[in-house]
Amino acid sequence: MAEKSEASEEDTTGASVAAQSQLPPPDILEIEPVYEALGHSRRRYLCYTLLESTEWSLTDLATKIAAWENDIPEHAVETTQQKRVYVSLYHAHVPKLVDEGVLTFDETTEKITAGKHAEQVLAALEAIGASLDSHQETHARGEMNEQES
Amino acid sequence: MSKRVDDEIMNEEEPTTKSKTGWSQVTQRHYDPEGNEELTTVIVYAIAEARGVSPIEVKSPPLYEVVDVPAIENTFFGPDVAGESRQSVGTVEFQYTNYLIQVESDGWVQLYESTGTDDPGLD
């Protein structure tokens, strides 16, 4: 009886160790916000802008994204173009990124800053950007380089 | 009631006449899956029109807190596995503040407001 119970105890322990070693490390599960955040072109633009500056007003971001999407300089963005982007940022993309911890959004000032997952998302964006969305990558990079020089 | 000119699909039901008990249609807007505007933008513009305000004044609550609009966009208008637009025919409806919003698989967004017949009323 005693022998038997010892043996089964060993089995249980052995099995649970094996099962545990098959689980992915917790860090890997944290990658979901990255996929969610980068699953839409406007959200990728939003993330890119964080590489450039740590704080943005929603209005400025909308202008910038409208300029990018229409491939025109920011001063040429029409109010209607800017409004359309603003609305989709306000009602869909910004709250999504806030939910994923990538951004923080102050509803009173409408200022956007980086959230706790921003660094992880930006690293992933930089890693995949060139191959998945080379036009956007070149575009964002080009503009950043212009401002740096 | 505005007429749909670009809808040539033969339908048993009259597509232009929308009536729901307790709700009256306020406006409708068309979402074009091939266009630049997102479904979210189209819906917010319809709400703004119904309220008589600028779309950027539609703030609280954000649509995101009510329904996942990009998910609806993907459900009806996203590409299928073969890369072509989905063929489903259907309608998704949800409430946003005092409005009932319907998104149809042909891209039409209908916005209704309560006729208030069930409300006791304050005046």
Side-chain angles (χ1 to χ4, degrees), chain B residues 67-111:
Chain B
V67 71
D68 189 344
V69 176
I72 299 175
E73 195 175 315
N74 208 34
T75 301
F76 280 149
F77 312 105
D80 66 13
V81 282
E84 290 181 7
S85 195
R86 291 189 194 273
Q87 302 295 308
S88 171
V89 174
T91 303
V92 169
E93 66 174 48
F94 59 92
Q95 284 190 44
Y96 178 88
T97 63
N98 52 328
Y99 299 116
L100 177 71
I101 295 164
Q102 286 184 336
V103 180
E104 296 166 21
S105 53
D106 61 3
W108 279 97
V109 173
Q110 312 285 348
L111 190 142

Side-chain angles (χ1 to χ4, degrees), chain B residues 3-4 6-18 88-91 104-108 110:
Chain B
K3 199 91 181 142
R4 290 185 198 180
D6 60 342
D7 193 345
E8 290 177 347
I9 300 165
M10 299 228 273
N11 247 329
E12 299 270 326
E13 286 172 75
E14 170 61 59
T16 57
T17 311
K18 295 284 170 179
S88 171
V89 174
T91 303
E104 296 166 21
S105 53
D106 61 3
W108 279 97
Q110 312 285 348

Side-chain angles (χ1 to χ4, degrees), chain A residues 45 48 52 68 135-145:
Chain A
Y45 278 135
Y48 262 122
E52 202 179 302
W68 268 340
H135 178 67
Q136 185 177 305
E137 164 87 1
T138 313
H139 209 143
R141 288 265 157 229
E143 188 154 321
M144 277 162 56
N145 293 340

Side-chain angles (χ1 to χ4, degrees), chain A residues 36-47 93 96-97:
Chain A
E36 289 288 331
L38 300 179
H40 192 283
S41 68
R42 283 188 176 163
R43 291 202 291 274
R44 290 194 291 276
Y45 278 135
L46 271 174
C47 293
H93 302 307
K96 174 91 178 172
L97 290 174

